[in-house]
Amino acid sequence: MIVLGLFAGLMLAAQNPINAKFSALVKSPLVASLFGYVIGVAILGVIVLVTGGGLLENIEAAMQTNMPVWFWLGGLCGAIYITAIIILFPKIGAVETVMLPTLGMIFSSIVIESFGWLEVTAIPLTVTRMLGLLILVGGMVIAVVVPTLNQRPMLQKAAPVVNGRLAWRIFGFIAGVATTLQTTLNGHLGVVLHSTYQATLIAFIVGLAVVASVMLVRERHAFRLVLPAAKYWWGWVGGALGSFYVLFMTIMIPVLGPGLTVALPIIGVMFGSLFVQKFGLFGSIKAAVHIAQIIGVILMVGGILIIKLI
């Protein structure tokens, strides 16, 4: 499961630049997101058909239980995260758009696990776990923020100060919380349905409906771009990576709990992003790996080991 978590993070590290390139080609982040959800629904639909298990029967049986309605809404939380990233980049800049949701993911996973919310097995928040959390967050900040310190003036020009900057930062943190909620809810739904594939498919269907609704409000004209977007292979790959990422997270959460399920992909994303950056993969900007990035990733690994193993 630990290897699966790291691999999920590596897939996310590849998905981000692929989706960025695809979004630039179709000239709409929402179109790119919608197309990704369509591909994800198609892939997961085929998996569910092949594996069988009676999706409709499982849904009917689940609806007869006392399970709260929000356990069906993991896809909504995922769509909130995607929409938040689209909105936040021009508002607060690239660095904070990465850092704040990550902080939200880490803290929300620890809180959910510590109090046993959402039917998660409770793990007390000890001094040792707090120390590991601080090291994990410190490593993340070093890896993301320190390499950009010399670029602060340029970043500020690229992302001018806007009214309500504090509110946008809070929104970024909430986006990370939404990601943790998506993983937790999908994991529980998978247990109830006796199928992680079916739970992930439902999440993607809900996410597809949410993104389509946002497009109806904000970019109704962009629907005509979805079909032409199919000629770009980046969209197909990005959608596939996204579907398997959510599927892997759904598989891990009942076994590892929210804390480790969220933390492991973060490490994978960091290692994968360094590799992508080093060699300029997927059309990304090629740049040397900063020593602070290596130190930060090492600290993150140490923090997770302290949280889960000591």
Side-chain angles (χ1 to χ4, degrees):
M1 283 295 177
I2 292 178
V3 174
L4 188 66
L6 294 173
F7 186 65
L10 292 174
M11 288 195 303
L12 193 60
Q15 182 194 23
N16 288 338
I18 289 174
N19 282 352
K21 186 171 184 177
F22 182 61
S23 177
L25 286 172
V26 299
K27 297 180 175 59
S28 172
L30 286 176
V31 170
S33 298
L34 183 71
F35 190 81
Y37 270 111
V38 170
I39 297 301
V41 168
I43 292 174
L44 294 164
V46 170
I47 293 175
V48 168
L49 286 175
V50 171
T51 57
L55 174 61
L56 296 180
E57 292 82 357
N58 288 344
I59 291 176
E60 183 178 358
M63 293 183 68
Q64 294 176 357
T65 67
N66 294 324
M67 184 177 68
V69 66
W70 57 77
F71 278 103
W72 298 91
L73 301 180
L76 171 61
C77 296
I80 289 173
Y81 173 78
I82 293 175
T83 305
I85 297 301
I86 294 171
I87 296 174
L88 289 173
F89 262 100
K91 300 291 185 182
I92 61 177
V95 173
E96 292 187 34
T97 300
V98 171
M99 183 178 67
L100 293 171
T102 302
L103 288 173
M105 291 169 62
I106 294 171
F107 279 103
S108 59
S109 65
I110 294 296
V111 169
I112 289 173
E113 203 170 50
S114 297
F115 290 96
W117 291 343
L118 301 177
E119 300 191 18
V120 170
T121 301
I123 301 177
L125 184 59
T126 63
V127 175
T128 302
R129 281 169 57 83
M130 279 293 297
L131 176 62
L133 177 61
L134 291 175
I135 293 175
L136 176 62
V137 173
M140 187 273 296
V141 172
I142 290 173
V144 174
V145 177
V146 173
T148 66
L149 292 179
N150 293 333
Q151 304 173 10
R152 283 291 177 179
M154 182 171 56
L155 290 172
Q156 290 174 354
K157 290 180 181 179
V161 175
V162 294
N163 292 331
R165 191 175 182 86
L166 177 59
W168 289 120
R169 287 170 171 164
I170 295 173
F171 185 42
F173 184 88
I174 293 174
V177 175
T179 304
T180 303
L181 290 175
Q182 177 194 26
T183 301
T184 307
L185 295 175
N186 287 352
H188 182 75
L189 184 60
V191 172
V192 173
L193 296 176
H194 307 291
S195 172
T196 53
Y197 305 125
Q198 294 177 8
T200 309
L201 174 60
I202 291 173
F204 264 73
I205 292 174
V206 172
L208 175 62
V210 172
V211 174
S213 299
V214 173
M215 284 184 61
L216 281 173
V217 175
R218 297 192 54 174
E219 295 185 19
R220 186 176 302 178
H221 64 282
F223 278 100
R224 68 176 186 272
L225 301 174
V226 176
L227 189 58
K231 66 182 179 181
Y232 299 114
W233 69 269
W234 296 277
W236 295 80
V237 174
L241 290 174
S243 62
F244 283 109
Y245 168 78
V246 177
L247 175 60
F248 290 168
M249 297 287 280
T250 304
I251 292 173
M252 291 187 300
I253 187 93
V255 179
L256 302 180
L260 193 55
T261 299
V262 168
L264 285 173
I266 291 174
I267 294 177
V269 168
M270 290 295 180
F271 275 114
S273 298
L274 294 181
F275 191 79
V276 170
Q277 173 184 308
K278 174 68 176 178
F279 296 100
L281 302 179
F282 311 117
S284 62
I285 298 175
K286 185 176 181 180
V289 175
H290 197 286
I291 185 63
Q293 293 173 313
I294 298 175
I295 294 173
V297 171
I298 293 174
L299 286 174
M300 291 177 67
V301 173
I304 288 179
L305 291 175
I306 291 174
I307 292 172
K308 302 305 295 186
L309 302 180
I310 299 179

